[in-house]
Amino acid sequence: MDYSVAIAALTKSDPILATLIQRVGACRLDRVQQTGDLFFSLSKAIIHQQLSTKSATAIHQRFLKISPAQPPSALDILNTPDEVLRGVGISRPKIIYLKDLAAKAINGLPTIAELELMDGETIIQTLTQVKGIGRWTVQMLLIFRLHRWDVLPIDDLGIRAGVRKVYNLAELPHRKTVEQMGQLWKPYCTIASWYLWRSLEQGVGSRESGVGKESSVVTSNQ
């Protein structure tokens, strides 16, 4: 995927971000794009919530094998006893979320193809009707599955930590502050976000900083 137009625009609009882009190098966002239908993508997102990448990956791999069909369909999950789901390591709240997702998927959630025709905010409002799916989770879907280039997940602690580091702020910026800064990056907020995540890697950016817990799964998969 050619990010040259986005890089040129970001470099021109924000000199500080331009320095980060120069240090990090070429955008590699296209190397981590996801595949699969909507049920697969959202069920994986639910399983990964609040877990380390290692733990979530192990649980998800066991989840994929609970039915003869791999990956399991929404109907498969609805027909799977809670005890079986608990047996692969899924918590009781997440079982509720997965079964609500499965029921809604069967009863008319849009397909990936249908989502591709919607604007981002409509997608967020549609998918957050599923239990356990919040705005941040849908934004990750927009970035990594639907390939939207203008998504700024201001609730992501990694993004806020990246802004603090790159712009040499004394404290973690408020969500509203990040949103305002993001006006400089439109319509390529996703690309700017990728570089902010990269700034948290050792030796990149203006000073050392840790990764926020909420975004640890995301940053480790880039």
Side-chain angles (χ1 to χ4, degrees):
M1 191 172 292
D2 186 359
Y3 296 108
S4 59
V5 173
I7 298 303
L10 291 170
T11 299
K12 182 178 180 180
S13 65
D14 188 338
I16 296 177
L17 188 67
T19 300
L20 173 64
I21 290 171
Q22 185 177 30
R23 291 183 183 183
V24 172
C27 181
R28 302 182 300 278
L29 179 61
D30 58 325
R31 299 184 186 180
V32 290
Q33 296 297 328
Q34 300 169 351
T35 58
D37 62 17
L38 184 62
F39 179 74
F40 177 88
S41 297
L42 291 183
S43 60
K44 182 177 181 180
I46 288 171
I47 289 170
H48 274 255
Q49 289 171 358
Q50 305 301 315
L51 294 175
S52 70
T53 301
K54 182 177 180 180
S55 296
T57 299
I59 293 171
H60 187 247
Q61 289 301 314
R62 293 195 295 269
F63 169 79
L64 294 178
K65 297 175 182 177
I66 63 174
S67 73
Q70 296 185 26
S73 67
L75 185 59
D76 290 331
I77 297 307
L78 278 182
N79 291 332
T80 299
D82 290 3
E83 293 74 16
V84 173
L85 293 170
R86 285 289 294 137
V88 301
I90 300 173
S91 67
R92 295 192 187 281
K94 289 184 180 180
I95 291 171
I96 293 173
Y97 301 158
L98 287 169
K99 293 211 167 183
D100 186 65
L101 169 64
K104 286 184 168 66
I106 291 171
N107 292 323
L109 273 184
T111 64
I112 290 292
E114 290 169 337
L115 290 176
E116 288 174 345
L117 302 177
M118 301 180 186
D119 65 86
E121 191 58 36
T122 299
I123 293 172
I124 289 171
Q125 295 303 317
T126 299
L127 299 185
T128 51
Q129 296 177 35
V130 178
K131 291 179 181 178
I133 298 295
R135 187 178 188 89
W136 180 84
T137 299
V138 181
Q139 287 175 323
M140 296 304 103
L141 181 83
L142 289 170
I143 292 173
F144 296 109
R145 182 64 183 88
L146 296 176
H147 318 146
R148 299 295 173 93
W149 281 26
D150 196 25
V151 181
L152 180 59
I154 60 174
D155 294 309
D156 187 280
L157 295 182
I159 293 295
R160 293 165 65 194
V163 169
R164 179 185 180 185
K165 180 179 182 179
V166 173
Y167 295 85
N168 201 28
L169 304 180
E171 298 178 349
L172 198 69
H174 190 273
R175 298 163 60 256
K176 201 69 176 177
T177 300
V178 177
E179 184 175 32
Q180 291 169 350
M181 295 176 70
Q183 296 303 310
L184 286 174
W185 309 328
K186 284 186 166 296
Y188 305 114
C189 287
T190 296
I191 314 306
S193 296
W194 185 86
Y195 278 100
L196 289 169
W197 279 320
R198 299 283 64 73
S199 75
L200 299 176
E201 297 171 349
Q202 188 174 3
V204 177
S206 59
R207 74 173 173 220
E208 299 293 322
S209 178
V211 181
K213 180 175 178 61
E214 183 177 357
S215 66
S216 60
V217 170
V218 177
T219 55
S220 64
N221 285 329
Q222 306 317 300

